[in-house]
Amino acid sequence: MERLPYIDEHAIRVPADRVTTWHAVLRTICTNPADPATVPFGFVLDAAEEPDRLACKGRHWFSVYRLIFLLSDDAEGGTRVVAQTWAAFPGLRGKLYRALVIGSGGHRIVVRKMLRRIAAQAISEPTRKV
């Protein structure tokens, strides 16, 4: 997939270790958390690098896009989860679609809600240490 323009990123601090948070990302994003390839409709798996990075990509008539979740340790023993969006919106229809999705603030609301769900999942269902 071609290099896409950067759109934005949103982050949240999760008070759980990175492995627990990785599994929370999969439970939140994937229809089958045991299979990272089961990303939502409109996306295909681009990369799953446990416990650091989950990348999804997609395209349709009005845009080409990538959503990347990056996980890193924070100084307080938790995990920082960053959701990055990269996308191109070609043509007039793409420009209108971008205004509808990005310009309206809808994208920001959806991504922040996903991050809050990931944090809630990590807290409510911690991964058991073996």
Side-chain angles (χ1 to χ4, degrees):
M1 183 174 264
E2 67 271 13
R3 178 108 167 119
L4 298 172
Y6 173 82
I7 300 298
D8 64 9
E9 78 176 37
H10 303 275
I12 193 167
R13 182 190 179 276
V14 179
D17 64 86
R18 201 159 12 134
V19 171
T20 296
T21 305
W22 169 261
H23 290 287
V25 169
L26 296 181
R27 285 193 303 272
T28 302
I29 303 304
C30 301
T31 56
N32 176 0
D35 182 4
T38 61
V39 294
F41 177 77
F43 289 94
V44 295
L45 181 65
D46 191 31
E49 301 162 8
E50 182 178 353
D52 303 315
R53 182 175 179 262
L54 180 72
C56 310
K57 63 183 180 179
R59 71 174 53 237
H60 58 69
W61 293 341
F62 311 124
S63 68
V64 180
Y65 45 89
R66 181 175 283 129
L67 177 61
I68 303 170
F69 294 92
L70 301 168
L71 288 74
S72 59
D73 296 332
D74 75 5
E76 298 173 32
T79 303
R80 184 170 191 261
V81 181
V82 176
Q84 293 182 339
T85 303
W86 302 75
F89 301 89
L92 178 59
R93 290 181 178 168
K95 187 174 184 177
L96 293 171
Y97 186 72
R98 179 186 170 109
L100 179 67
V101 173
I102 305 297
S104 70
H107 166 75
R108 181 183 67 247
I109 291 167
V110 169
V111 171
R112 288 181 178 172
K113 184 176 180 178
M114 274 193 295
L115 290 172
R116 287 191 303 270
R117 286 181 56 214
I118 290 167
Q121 279 283 332
I123 294 166
S124 68
E125 296 183 39
T127 303
R128 291 183 179 86
K129 304 278 187 192
V130 178

